[in-house]
Amino acid sequence: MAENETYQALDFIREIVKADVESGKNDGRVHTRFPPEPNGYLHIGHAKAICLNFGLAEEYNGLTNLRFDDTNPTKEKDEYVEAIQDDIHWLGFDWAGRLYYASDYFDQLYEWAVELIKKGKAYVCDLTDEEMSEYRGANVFNEEGKRITPPGKNSPYRDRSVEENLDLFERMKNGEFPDGARTLRARIDMAHPNLIMRDPVMYRIMRKHHFRQGDKWLLYPTYDWTHGQSDSIEGITHSICDVSFEIHRPLYDWFLEALEIYHPRQYEFGRLNLTYTVLSKRYLRQLVEDGHVAGWDDPRLPTLRGMRRRGYTPEAIREFCRRIGISKSDGIVEIQNLEHCVREHLNKTAPRVMAVLDPIKVVITNYPEGQSEELDAINNPEDPNAGTRQVPFSRELYIERDDFMEDPPKKFFRLAPGREVRLRYAYFITCHEVVKNENGEIVELRCTYDPATRGGDAPDGRKVKATLHWVSAPHAARAEVRLYDYLFTREDPMNVPEGEDWKANLNPRSVVINREARLEPMLKDAEPGFRCQFERLGYFCKDPDSTPDTPVFNRTVALKDSWKKVQDKG
């Protein structure tokens, strides 16, 4: 087993699989599948399903198929197919050549539909969608709030003869009827307490160009009709779905039993919900299409594309999915848990660099003009094998504006007039003069340095209470830094007063763009996707929007700030 026993005991899906393997069910095979619809980009909720399906197969030396359930040609594109495959590979999983499409089974599905018609278990119906919904009925609640489900009403076309149904169904296939004129429905039970079982639609007429099948088909199978039979064709042992499919499981079973073919078993697990986030494809598409974000890879989105661009690592996402586990019901997970996993992994792997986001100039008056030197800097204190790098030091530097206060309060230990601090990897400096412009704004600090403290330690043993990061002004790369925050202001973005739109909860400061940042010069040549820690500021990732003259960095996640905590406490 790849997972530890404690984790196994907490995961009811893995307990089921373990019992099946030990009992010899399915000859001890474990064969899962991940079946995305190619109508959008994957998000963190899909990552949970990917980790579960591929992870189970890996743990039992089994197989996992990647199958695109491409049954709705109105929304599906090759673009999504390629993006989904790329995202799965980025997460660290591979289907080893087992790539399938539900559309590959359209001929077999049609034959099976004919078989059900011959068995008297399917019929062609002429009701419109509205009429069908009315005939099906709905759940209602009595005065005590108890749900009751009055029986529906049979379609007037339910008792057509087998011969008539076969003829009409073939004519539907041949394009003799307009879109939506007829459907093929399963004949089950219009009084069934589960509304899904009240003669569900199997096929609908739809003249749409399919991105793989072209114009071959004029009618398309529904997801419910396609799902179980595709699993059967592929020999899937454990068909794992999110909990929204639980109500569909009786239909999944009914179709397989009616056809008398190999019968996989469906199991449902709780979907992932994150605070300050929406994970509905419909809502995500609305954010993209309405211009609230800059595309499917916007770093504020929970899409894998967006998280990747923001600087999240696949290792962190997999660890997050492992830690939250698998439950039987939907749950809400605090987004801080995901951020913790990201921060934890980057702490071990990301090189440290120095960057100043809100620069104020420091002039070291006793440092020789025109001189510069190279200082050794540690790349990652968590990784001894990461080595060191050289950073330039000169007479003029930049430090963070927040690292200086002219009249500091108690517990502020950074730079102030007359106070000595350490510059990271460099020297002790002391501030002697504050230069202001005509508006009274501080524009420059004049300091002296102690040459004996090179590397950050004083030979006489004196101590300072603060260490500041910095960059050499003449060597620094000017950069654009995008500071990302939560996309929504509420933990539950759908929590709005009645009549208001959920988009009213969008955070107007979900991204703040800083074009005055100064970075170590080596960052100018880093490749897009390069992840690093800006010391004392957070983890950042170089964005593809970078140019040779202007590097662009996205904040992945912030670091904790002890002074900010003091300020927050008043």
Side-chain angles (χ1 to χ4, degrees):
M1 292 292 175
E3 307 291 346
N4 60 57
E5 289 301 316
T6 302
Y7 180 59
Q8 295 291 324
L10 294 175
D11 186 334
F12 81 97
I13 292 286
R14 282 180 167 83
E15 288 295 331
I16 290 171
V17 175
K18 180 181 178 183
D20 287 347
V21 170
E22 291 176 350
S23 69
K25 188 175 181 179
N26 299 309
D27 299 321
R29 291 186 307 118
V30 174
H31 195 161
T32 63
R33 85 287 175 270
F34 176 62
E37 298 174 65
N39 61 0
Y41 289 83
L42 298 183
H43 55 62
I44 186 67
H46 295 112
K48 178 180 176 181
I50 292 168
C51 290
L52 175 58
N53 281 287
F54 282 90
L56 273 172
E58 287 180 358
E59 291 159 25
Y60 288 93
N61 296 315
L63 304 173
T64 301
N65 294 356
L66 172 59
R67 179 177 74 237
F68 289 100
D69 278 327
D70 53 341
T71 60
N72 185 355
T74 63
K75 297 180 179 179
E76 297 160 353
K77 299 178 183 178
D78 275 318
E79 170 192 349
Y80 300 135
V81 169
E82 294 171 6
I84 288 169
Q85 292 182 69
D86 183 58
D87 285 345
I88 295 172
H89 276 143
W90 177 72
L91 272 180
F93 299 104
D94 186 75
W95 47 94
R98 290 180 299 278
L99 174 63
Y100 303 103
Y101 295 83
S103 59
D104 291 339
Y105 311 139
F106 279 2
D107 288 301
Q108 178 64 76
L109 290 169
Y110 182 85
E111 291 176 15
W112 275 334
V114 169
E115 184 178 330
L116 290 190
I117 292 173
K118 291 178 178 178
K119 289 182 175 182
K121 295 184 177 181
Y123 64 96
V124 174
C125 182
D126 297 0
L127 293 178
T128 65
D129 288 345
E130 293 76 13
E131 291 169 335
M132 204 181 304
S133 179
E134 180 183 344
Y135 275 59
R136 183 180 292 116
N139 292 319
V140 295
F141 297 86
N142 60 21
E143 294 180 357
E144 290 76 31
K146 183 179 179 180
R147 185 177 69 179
I148 55 177
T149 309
K153 185 169 63 172
N154 286 347
S155 165
Y157 310 100
R158 197 173 194 265
D159 295 323
R160 278 174 164 155
S161 67
V162 169
E163 292 72 22
E164 184 180 6
N165 283 318
L166 289 172
D167 174 66
L168 288 172
F169 189 48
E170 183 174 3
R171 292 165 64 190
M172 288 168 62
K173 177 186 176 185
N174 294 336
E176 294 188 25
F177 310 115
D179 287 8
R182 288 188 161 99
T183 59
L184 182 72
R185 298 175 66 182
R187 184 186 277 108
I188 304 180
D189 182 2
M190 290 301 292
H192 200 287
N194 183 344
L195 298 181
I196 297 292
M197 299 294 285
R198 293 185 178 182
D199 292 10
V201 172
M202 298 166 58
Y203 278 91
R204 67 275 200 212
I205 302 171
M206 190 188 305
R207 285 173 173 78
K208 296 293 182 181
H209 182 84
H210 192 279
F211 75 101
R212 294 189 73 250
Q213 297 290 331
D215 298 317
K216 175 182 177 180
W217 292 93
L218 303 177
L219 74 166
Y220 286 90
T222 60
Y223 182 86
D224 277 333
W225 169 239
T226 307
H227 182 202
Q229 284 63 262
S230 298
D231 285 347
S232 179
I233 290 169
E234 295 175 14
I236 301 304
T237 59
H238 300 82
S239 179
I240 302 170
C241 308
D242 72 55
V243 73
S244 66
F245 290 92
E246 183 175 16
I247 196 172
H248 295 256
R249 194 198 321 154
L251 181 56
Y252 180 99
D253 294 336
W254 188 90
F255 281 135
L256 293 169
E257 290 165 5
L259 290 169
E260 300 179 87
I261 58 177
Y262 168 68
H263 191 157
R265 297 297 168 184
Q266 178 177 304
Y267 303 96
E268 305 86 20
F269 66 95
R271 289 177 296 184
L272 170 63
N273 293 291
L274 273 180
T275 54
Y276 299 100
T277 308
V278 293
L279 292 177
S280 160
K281 275 186 184 178
R282 177 164 62 94
Y283 293 140
L284 293 174
R285 184 176 289 107
Q286 193 172 345
L287 291 173
V288 172
E289 293 178 353
D290 291 352
H292 296 291
V293 293
W296 286 99
D297 65 345
D298 189 298
R300 292 167 291 180
L301 288 182
T303 58
L304 296 185
R305 287 281 160 123
M307 291 181 165
R308 184 176 180 176
R309 185 172 180 181
R310 185 160 175 166
Y312 282 31
T313 65
E315 295 86 351
I317 292 174
R318 293 201 306 270
E319 176 62 13
F320 168 72
C321 292
R322 188 194 72 81
R323 290 185 184 183
I324 62 175
I326 305 297
S327 63
K328 294 185 178 182
S329 58
D330 291 346
I332 299 176
V333 178
E334 292 184 346
I335 196 170
Q336 291 85 354
N337 290 340
L338 173 59
E339 292 173 335
H340 175 74
C341 292
V342 174
R343 191 180 289 114
E344 189 176 69
H345 184 251
L346 290 175
N347 182 53
K348 298 174 183 176
T349 60
R352 276 49 168 173
V353 298
M354 290 192 289
V356 176
L357 302 188
D358 186 11
I360 183 171
K361 182 175 283 189
V362 172
V363 176
I364 302 177
T365 57
N366 63 332
Y367 193 89
E369 292 189 35
Q371 178 176 308
S372 65
E373 59 185 301
E374 298 288 327
L375 302 174
D376 288 330
I378 297 171
N379 286 330
N380 189 339
E382 301 294 323
D383 180 8
N385 296 320
T388 62
R389 69 189 185 283
Q390 296 282 293
V391 293
F393 183 88
S394 65
R395 175 185 172 89
E396 294 187 357
L397 312 170
Y398 290 115
I399 67 169
E400 292 288 349
R401 190 170 294 275
D402 285 349
D403 280 341
F404 176 82
M405 293 189 78
E406 192 171 13
D407 184 18
K410 188 178 180 181
K411 296 187 178 181
F412 182 86
F413 300 118
R414 304 175 195 177
L415 192 60
R419 182 178 294 174
E420 188 175 51
V421 298
R422 177 189 293 107
L423 295 180
R424 182 81 157 146
Y425 308 119
Y427 300 95
F428 287 10
I429 64 169
T430 303
C431 179
H432 296 287
E433 183 182 353
V434 177
V435 180
K436 300 180 180 181
N437 62 18
E438 60 274 11
N439 297 321
E441 299 166 334
I442 299 173
V443 294
E444 187 177 293
L445 305 176
R446 293 186 176 272
C447 303
T448 57
Y449 85 117
D450 181 351
T453 59
R454 191 177 196 273
D457 292 311
D460 61 6
R462 73 183 187 275
K463 304 296 182 182
V464 292
K465 292 186 177 181
T467 299
L468 310 184
H469 64 276
W470 53 275
V471 292
S472 169
H475 300 91
R478 187 165 183 158
E480 176 180 312
V481 174
R482 299 169 182 174
L483 302 174
Y484 289 102
D485 201 346
Y486 300 141
L487 186 56
F488 294 92
T489 57
R490 289 179 180 267
E491 287 193 357
D492 178 6
M494 297 298 130
N495 180 12
V496 291
E498 187 175 351
E500 284 195 21
D501 192 295
W502 58 277
K503 293 187 291 297
N505 285 330
L506 283 167
N507 180 4
R509 293 184 61 81
S510 58
V511 59
V512 174
I513 298 177
N514 177 343
R515 295 186 173 88
E516 299 299 324
R518 303 294 197 277
L519 316 180
E520 279 188 34
M522 55 85 67
L523 293 175
K524 192 172 182 179
D525 298 323
E527 292 294 322
F530 173 75
R531 303 183 189 95
C532 58
Q533 182 195 111
F534 288 179
E535 293 205 34
R536 300 175 62 229
L537 298 174
Y539 294 98
F540 290 77
C541 181
K542 193 168 187 181
D543 191 86
D545 286 346
S546 297
T547 67
D549 294 327
T550 307
V552 178
F553 277 81
N554 301 323
R555 184 172 65 188
T556 306
V557 63
L559 296 179
K560 297 176 182 178
D561 187 322
S562 58
W563 170 242
K564 186 176 185 301
K565 285 185 178 180
V566 172
Q567 290 177 308
D568 290 343
K569 291 179 180 178

